[in-house]
């Protein structure tokens, strides 16, 4: 699939923008704080309805304005899709696909598939477990709508249960305890589906990542990603029951997939504990490259690859590997200078220069 064009109105530092992309490699370059990432963010918004930076809609609307508008034209399996998104300062966003409004943001998932790669992703191993869960959830949600709906339900139940635990701690009653029984059942029901989804996702990643990582390290390292669920599906119900008193005491749900993690074994050792920084970043790069391959396999099409300032973070060997992996995927790359591409003799199809919210096509 390819993004043909993006139009922005009052989005971040853009009063108005109309950009037409090439189907292959597009470079967006410019100094810091000119608006390069903002463009990638707007494209990402159209695939997940959320900012990759976790920003709120009201932070995205251009200073002094009340609304932003994104219009994205996508070509997928020979069909055109237009995604319109209205971001509002004080209300929830409006989304339409081909002019037809969609009711829930989750209905947007899966229309376009984006792989977003930023320098932050290279820290996925070093950072805390919530980012590794986010990686699984964002990827699975783009590939599997049922997973997404289970995840939404799980998070709802988790919030409700935590609220109820606070109420019980404050003034316990038989009635509240009965309500807790119901939330426990729901927690186990949706949580088990999340655990199963993540387990099978990591199994698929493992069939792809070992080859990539071996090539990336010249055959010196092997890698295995281990899914570490906080609870086993079969023990979930029992564990929730057993931790009830503790949960009431701490007013929080202690057991469930919201505590899951991933471990990366490089040459059989946990690379988070024993690996060098370089080894951790290489493992993260392998994971990202596996994500691209997995998306290709699942959707039987190419995703759109957004590389936000990531090349400057890699040494030339890894840069080459990444560039060679791009193949026929439409790629939009941001960077501060063009030297890296010229050094790498990368095939560039379109170049844009960004200066203070204005974009000029330099071809
Ligand atoms: P870098 O190379 O440092 O990553 P960049 O070109 O990617 O920079 P962006 O993150 O795209 O920069 O844009 C940052 C600019 O956008 C900042 O100058 C910031 O003030 C501006 N900006 C962010 N949000 C808004 C907003 N809601 N309204 C207007 N301007 C905004
Ligand atoms: Mg940036």
């Amino acid at each position: 699939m390819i993004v043909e064009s993006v139009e922005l109105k009052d989005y971040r530092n853009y009063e108005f923008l109309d950009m037409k992309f090439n189907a292959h490699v597009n470079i967006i370059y410019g100094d810091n704080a000119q608006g390069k990432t903002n463009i990638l963010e707007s494209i990402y918004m159209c695939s997940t309805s959320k900012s990759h930076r976790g920003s709120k809609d009201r932070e995205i609307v251009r200073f002094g304005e009340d609304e932003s508008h994104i219009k994205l034209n996508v070509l997928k399996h020979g069909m055109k899709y237009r995604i319109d998104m209205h971001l509002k300062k004080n209300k929830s966003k409006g989304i339409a696909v081909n002019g037809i409004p969609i009711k829930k943001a989750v209905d947007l998932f899966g229309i376009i598939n984006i792989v977003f790669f930023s320098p932050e992703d290279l820290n996925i191993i070093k950072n805390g477990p919530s980012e590794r869960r986010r990686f699984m959830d964002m990827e699975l949600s783009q590939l599997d709508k049922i997973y997404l709906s289970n995840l939404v339900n799980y998070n709802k139940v988790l919030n409700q249960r935590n609220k109820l635990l606070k109420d019980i701690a404050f003034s316990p009653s038989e009635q509240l305890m009965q309500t807790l029984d119901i939330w426990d059942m729901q927690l186990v029901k949706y949580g088990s589906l999340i655990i199963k989804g993540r387990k099978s996702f990591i199994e698929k990643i493992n069939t792809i990542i070992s080859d990539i990582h071996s090539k990336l390290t010249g055959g010196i390292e092997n890698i295995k990603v281990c899914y570490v669920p906080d609870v086993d599906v079969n023990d979930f119900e029992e564990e929730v029951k057993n931790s009830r008193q503790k949960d009431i005491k701490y007013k929080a749900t202690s057991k469930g997939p919201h505590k899951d993690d991933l471990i990366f074994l490089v040459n059989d050792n946990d690379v988070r504990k024993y690996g060098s920084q370089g080894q951790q970043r290489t493992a993260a790069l392998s994971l990202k490259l596996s994500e691209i391959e997995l998306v290709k396999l699942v959707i039987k099409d190419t995703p759109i690859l957004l590389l936000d300032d990531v090349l400057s973070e890699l040494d030339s060997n890894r840069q080459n590997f990444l560039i060679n992996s791009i193949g026929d995927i439409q790629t939009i790359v941001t960077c501060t200078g063009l030297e890296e591409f010229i050094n790498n003799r990368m095939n560039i199809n379109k170049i844009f220069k960004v200066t203070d919210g204005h974009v000029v096509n330099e071809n």
Side-chain angles (χ1 to χ4, degrees), residues 98-161:
N98 294 337
I100 299 164
I102 59 173
K103 289 194 190 73
K104 289 176 285 161
V106 296
D107 293 336
L108 189 66
F109 276 80
I111 292 180
I112 56 172
N113 288 84
I114 304 262
V115 175
F116 198 114
F117 193 178
S118 73
E120 248 320 286
D121 293 306
L122 291 168
N123 296 327
I124 189 168
I125 290 165
K126 206 174 77 183
N127 288 352
S130 64
E131 297 197 16
R132 292 184 283 279
R133 289 193 293 271
R134 193 181 129 81
F135 164 75
M136 292 190 276
D137 288 342
M138 288 317 289
E139 216 27 69
L140 268 161
S141 297
Q142 285 201 53
L143 297 175
D144 181 353
K145 282 209 157 180
I146 298 170
Y147 181 88
L148 175 59
S149 117
N150 290 330
L151 183 66
V152 169
N153 284 325
Y154 181 77
N155 287 329
K156 263 189 213 153
V157 172
L158 186 62
N159 272 327
Q160 294 291 340
R161 188 177 188 270

Side-chain angles (χ1 to χ4, degrees), residues 33 36-38 53 308-309 334:
K36 304 180 296 293
T37 302
N38 293 344
R53 302 190 251 218
D308 192 15
D309 227 346
T334 72

Side-chain angles (χ1 to χ4, degrees), residues 242-277:
N242 293 342
S243 54
R244 182 174 271 204
Q245 287 317 314
K246 183 175 146 206
D247 286 5
I248 294 172
K249 186 174 166 201
Y250 292 104
K251 306 181 194 84
T253 302
S254 58
K255 285 281 160 193
H258 59 291
K259 297 283 177 75
D260 284 356
D261 203 355
L262 293 174
I263 289 178
F264 295 78
L265 296 180
V266 168
N267 293 344
D268 302 322
N269 289 316
D270 182 349
V271 74
R272 184 175 155 80
K273 287 191 186 135
Y274 303 106
S276 71
Q277 215 187 132

